[in-house]
Amino acid sequence: MHSDELQAAPPGTMEFLRFRLGGLDYGLDAGKVQELRILKSLERFAADGEIISGVAVSRGVIMPIVDMRAGAGAGADAPVAPPAPHTDVIILKLSSCVMGMVVDGVTDVVRVRLDQIAPIPGAQGGLPGPDALDYLIGLAEADGRRLILVDIDKLMSIRRAAPLGAHQAA
């Protein structure tokens, strides 16, 4: 999938790429998706980071690979299984760079009307500073399933990221 293959969403709607991570469904702006790849198709160079799992080359572009599974749900002490050869990688074209994001699986592209997006309880105005959850756009429902909508540019610009979807205690 290339972002130019997506049809323009009607006014008042947005298209989100739905992906699974830690047993939850998330969505990110489909316009930020450059392509989908499987991990084994990328030429990779390992790193010893927990979240940054190395760099890869895709179509001549060198990019970091971020394993989002390390930051989702299981807790900081839980080991993250090494990715399987068919693990999904979302290649993103962000405002600051191109990067790969390892997720549990990519489901589909869904359209959401802007008036169907509800705020995430406790995320609005509750946490000032670096722990703010302003990378969470809101909650929506698509095909009967709840979807956590993420502003991927904001999430990837956080210097000290909390686990995706986790609230830190004050």
Side-chain angles (χ1 to χ4, degrees):
M1 169 181 21
H2 293 278
S3 59
D4 58 343
E5 294 174 357
L6 295 172
Q7 296 177 356
T13 65
M14 284 185 69
E15 289 187 327
F16 292 92
L17 179 74
R18 180 173 19 199
F19 62 95
R20 303 238 350 124
L21 191 59
L24 298 173
D25 285 347
Y26 291 87
L28 61 86
D29 180 354
K32 300 285 184 180
V33 178
Q34 183 170 309
E35 64 181 311
L36 300 176
R37 300 287 297 268
I38 56 172
L39 194 60
K40 76 175 187 176
S41 71
L42 297 173
E43 181 181 354
R44 290 170 300 164
F45 306 92
D48 288 333
E50 179 180 321
I51 301 285
I52 304 294
S53 61
V55 295
V57 179
S58 177
R59 302 184 195 279
V61 176
I62 298 171
M63 70 187 113
I65 297 291
V66 176
D67 191 342
M68 295 302 290
R69 300 165 319 135
D77 297 332
V80 175
H86 294 288
T87 299
D88 288 323
V89 179
I90 303 169
I91 308 297
L92 300 165
K93 183 156 179 68
L94 303 178
S95 58
S96 60
C97 68
V98 172
M99 65 178 298
M101 185 172 86
V102 178
V103 297
D104 290 334
V106 172
T107 309
D108 56 2
V109 174
V110 296
R111 281 194 178 144
V112 175
R113 286 193 336 259
L114 298 179
D115 63 358
Q116 291 177 311
I117 300 173
I120 294 178
Q124 272 49 41
L127 299 171
D131 293 334
L133 300 175
D134 63 347
Y135 60 86
L136 297 176
I137 297 169
L139 296 173
E141 198 167 299
D143 305 321
R145 295 172 65 174
R146 180 169 281 170
L147 191 64
I148 302 168
L149 304 177
V150 177
D151 182 327
I152 198 65
D153 271 309
K154 285 183 180 178
L155 178 62
M156 292 304 166
S157 68
I158 296 173
R159 295 208 188 282
R160 193 185 102 248
L164 185 61
H167 296 355
Q168 292 184 351

